[in-house]
Amino acid sequence: MDTKTLTPVPDGDASLRSPGAKALSRYLREEILGGRLRAGVKLPPERELSARFGASRGSVRRVLADLRDRGLITQSVGSGTFVSEQAEGMVQGAGLPRFDGNVSPAELMEARRLIEPLLPGMIARNATAADFATMANCLEQSEAASTIEEFEYWDGALHKAFAVATHNAFFMRILELMNQVREQGEWGRLKRNSLTPARRAQYERQHRAMVDALRDRDAGQAAALMTEHLDQIQRNLFGE
């Protein structure tokens, strides 16, 4: 495919006014351009997207129409909405850069420890009902996970949901890069070796406490809980 002919994909659609529609648009673009929603994957129906992101059906249709016009999805009456083959060619050009293994787990934790406690202030000001619904879903899925890999996926999804709930594109990009490092083999090996049932249960309690504080718009408490959580992860991973 000649990627030079593809339509550039900007960071967002200024015509979308509701927070739910903006969150949906941002989520789908990031998942498609990040390579996590691959060509041929069927998207959830409009009613499900509407309920999940707190956007009207009309807003959902406008988001999907915009993505279709940009070549990211295709729509077929009676069949549904799918990630397009054309989107596959946009991943490398428009997505975030992939790490090549030069970022160590220790460097990742150092960066997380500095950056993530800054998120609660913005979340307390900007988070929507749809953001909290996403966090709640991540909590439920992580607690129901039957494997370490599944738990780690939803753990990462929760921290990504925190970034999305800031409604700040800079922090969303930073957390996306952090999640790319989490996908590396060395991080997974350390997590598997350190994640005992007792530690997993502790992480789950800490996650719920953080989400509860954020839902109460208590930024100070949420930041303190997030710092405690990250410090615990660091001790468990590296024996510090």
Side-chain angles (χ1 to χ4, degrees):
M1 179 183 294
D2 181 4
T3 57
K4 293 182 180 179
T5 64
L6 297 175
T7 303
V9 181
D11 285 342
D13 184 348
S15 67
L16 299 175
R17 296 184 178 181
S18 75
K22 290 179 180 178
L24 171 60
S25 177
R26 182 166 50 244
Y27 168 78
L28 289 175
R29 283 185 288 104
E30 288 181 353
E31 293 299 296
I32 293 171
L33 294 175
R36 290 173 293 280
L37 285 177
R38 304 186 68 84
V41 171
K42 186 175 183 179
L43 300 186
E46 289 180 4
R47 64 180 180 278
E48 183 176 331
L49 294 174
S50 174
R52 178 176 175 183
F53 288 90
S56 69
R57 293 285 289 274
S59 294
V60 171
R61 292 190 189 102
R62 284 193 291 275
V63 169
L64 296 179
D66 176 68
L67 296 179
R68 183 190 62 225
D69 292 344
R70 299 185 192 283
L72 293 176
I73 63 173
T74 61
Q75 293 179 300
S76 176
V77 177
S79 297
T81 302
F82 300 84
V83 179
S84 70
E85 295 292 336
Q86 189 179 15
E88 195 82 13
M90 298 183 188
V91 171
Q92 292 302 318
L96 292 169
R98 301 297 296 181
F99 285 106
D100 59 6
N102 292 328
V103 178
S104 70
E107 290 171 328
L108 170 62
M109 280 308 309
E110 184 177 25
R112 290 184 65 186
R113 178 61 180 75
L114 290 171
I115 293 170
E116 291 191 45
L118 299 177
L119 303 183
M122 285 182 286
I123 296 172
R125 290 193 301 272
N126 302 327
T128 66
D131 293 323
F132 290 121
T134 299
M135 293 178 203
N137 181 59
C138 290
L139 290 175
E140 292 169 2
Q141 295 292 341
S142 66
E143 291 170 0
S146 59
T147 65
I148 292 176
E149 290 76 15
E150 189 178 1
F151 173 79
E152 175 68 6
Y153 172 84
W154 286 107
D155 183 357
L158 176 62
H159 285 270
K160 181 178 179 180
F162 291 153
V164 171
T166 67
H167 294 274
N168 182 297
F170 177 76
F171 277 99
M172 285 186 281
R173 284 184 175 268
I174 288 177
L175 268 293
E176 176 66 17
L177 292 173
M178 288 184 178
N179 273 345
Q180 289 180 16
V181 180
R182 288 168 64 108
E183 294 171 5
Q184 296 178 167
E186 180 64 14
W187 175 270
R189 184 187 66 79
L190 284 173
K191 199 64 177 286
R192 284 192 297 273
N193 290 344
S194 69
L195 191 63
T196 65
R199 286 172 175 173
R200 173 176 166 173
Q202 182 180 38
Y203 291 161
E204 290 172 353
R205 289 192 297 271
Q206 290 172 337
H207 287 160
R208 284 209 168 266
M210 284 188 285
V211 172
D212 287 344
L214 290 170
R215 191 179 286 112
D216 290 339
R217 310 286 176 171
D218 190 339
Q221 176 68 3
L225 289 168
M226 190 168 289
T227 298
E228 178 184 349
H229 174 60
L230 293 170
D231 287 346
Q232 185 66 55
I233 292 174
Q234 184 165 329
R235 287 193 296 271
N236 291 344
L237 288 177
F238 308 113
E240 299 177 358

